[in-house]
Amino acid sequence: MYEQAIVIRNDLKMGKGKMAAQACHASIQAYLHAQKISPSAVMYWMNEGQKKVVLKVNSEKELLEIFRDVNIDGLPCSLIRDAGKTQIEPGSLTAVGIGPEKEDKISKVTKNLKLL
Amino acid sequence: MYEQAIVIRNDLKMGKGKMAAQACHASIQAYLHAQKISPSAVMYWMNEGQKKVVLKVNSEKELLEIFRDVNIDGLPCSLIRDAGKTQIEPGSLTAVGIGPEKEDKISKVTKNLKLL
């Protein structure tokens, strides 16, 4: 099975609508990256129903560690920096998107994270 | 300015992670539809920073009225039906994605909706 994981900072004071918007940024950007570097994974994921998993971290440090690890493993990914016009500090890092890629490749990096 | 609007049902008992996942489904599907029917809108929207707005409705009926209206206006869109493996009834309609398209075209349909 293929999946896309979205990792969101839960320590920022974002409302659920703001969080959803950050998740969408991360999702689309990681999707576009995957289209470039692993189009067959995108195709399988689409055919399987586009599984998405939304996970949380509690600091910028944790978010960046995840982003570092997915890059080390060469996974398609995105790192979202919010313009910060509403609710949070301008330039805050808010979310990471990973995949679509094989579930086991993604969970190797995300296995210690909890669902949002 | 161009935007993408995500309309989510707030009457279902979805947690914020579940809501974010539904928003991502709606976002990617509407994006893919826009790529087909209005690729120039997608290009402008990407260059402008991919503005996304997340709005709420409080019933399936309201969600379907929005989906009807965006179709009447010929806007790129998506309607998300959740497999319902977690938290909600299988087959529930959860979200509508609209655009990317010009803000005024989208707000013609969404002007009475509140931010999630």
Side-chain angles (χ1 to χ4, degrees):
Chain A
M1 284 284 289
Y2 287 75
E3 69 175 24
Q4 183 181 59
I6 311 294
V7 182
I8 299 191
R9 276 180 70 187
N10 199 32
D11 59 307
L12 298 169
K13 303 303 178 194
M14 296 190 281
K16 57 191 176 182
K18 180 87 179 177
M19 273 193 173
Q22 303 305 309
C24 292
H25 291 319
S27 179
I28 285 198
Q29 287 305 111
Y31 169 87
L32 293 172
H33 190 207
Q35 263 196 333
K36 276 189 195 159
I37 70 169
S38 132
S40 65
V42 173
M43 196 186 66
Y44 289 124
W45 175 72
M46 298 289 273
N47 289 339
E48 287 176 359
Q50 301 183 41
K51 181 179 176 187
K52 295 187 187 79
V53 180
V54 182
L55 305 163
K56 63 182 172 185
V57 291
N58 287 307
S59 67
E60 181 178 288
K61 181 168 174 282
E62 272 186 87
L63 189 73
L64 287 171
E65 285 169 359
I66 293 292
F67 187 64
R68 176 199 62 200
D69 291 348
V70 295
N71 274 291
I72 288 171
D73 287 354
L75 302 178
C77 58
S78 61
L79 174 64
I80 304 305
R81 184 182 295 277
D82 191 65
K85 291 171 190 163
T86 57
Q87 294 187 31
I88 60 174
E89 286 291 308
S92 301
L93 297 173
T94 57
V96 161
I98 313 168
E101 211 6 295
K102 282 185 181 157
E103 282 180 334
D104 58 348
K105 287 190 185 176
I106 292 179
S107 61
K108 182 169 167 254
V109 176
T110 61
K111 62 182 182 293
N112 293 321
L113 303 183
K114 292 187 176 160
L115 290 171
L116 175 66
Chain B
M1 282 285 288
Y2 286 76
E3 69 174 25
Q4 184 181 58
I6 311 294
V7 182
I8 300 191
R9 276 180 70 187
N10 200 31
D11 59 306
L12 298 169
K13 304 302 178 195
M14 295 189 280
K16 57 191 176 182
K18 179 87 178 177
M19 274 193 172
Q22 302 304 309
C24 293
H25 290 318
S27 179
I28 285 199
Q29 287 305 110
Y31 170 87
L32 292 173
H33 189 206
Q35 263 195 331
K36 277 190 193 158
I37 71 170
S38 129
S40 66
V42 172
M43 195 186 66
Y44 288 124
W45 175 72
M46 298 289 273
N47 288 340
E48 287 176 2
Q50 303 184 38
K51 181 181 175 186
K52 295 188 189 79
V53 181
V54 182
L55 305 163
K56 62 181 172 185
V57 291
N58 288 306
S59 67
E60 181 179 286
K61 181 168 174 283
E62 272 186 86
L63 189 72
L64 287 172
E65 285 169 359
I66 293 292
F67 187 64
R68 177 198 63 200
D69 291 348
V70 295
N71 274 290
I72 288 171
D73 287 354
L75 302 178
C77 58
S78 62
L79 174 63
I80 304 305
R81 184 183 294 279
D82 190 66
K85 290 171 191 164
T86 58
Q87 294 188 30
I88 61 173
E89 286 291 308
S92 302
L93 297 172
T94 56
V96 161
I98 313 168
E101 211 5 296
K102 282 185 182 159
E103 282 181 333
D104 57 348
K105 288 188 185 177
I106 292 180
S107 61
K108 182 168 167 253
V109 176
T110 60
K111 62 182 181 293
N112 294 321
L113 302 184
K114 291 185 177 161
L115 291 171
L116 175 67

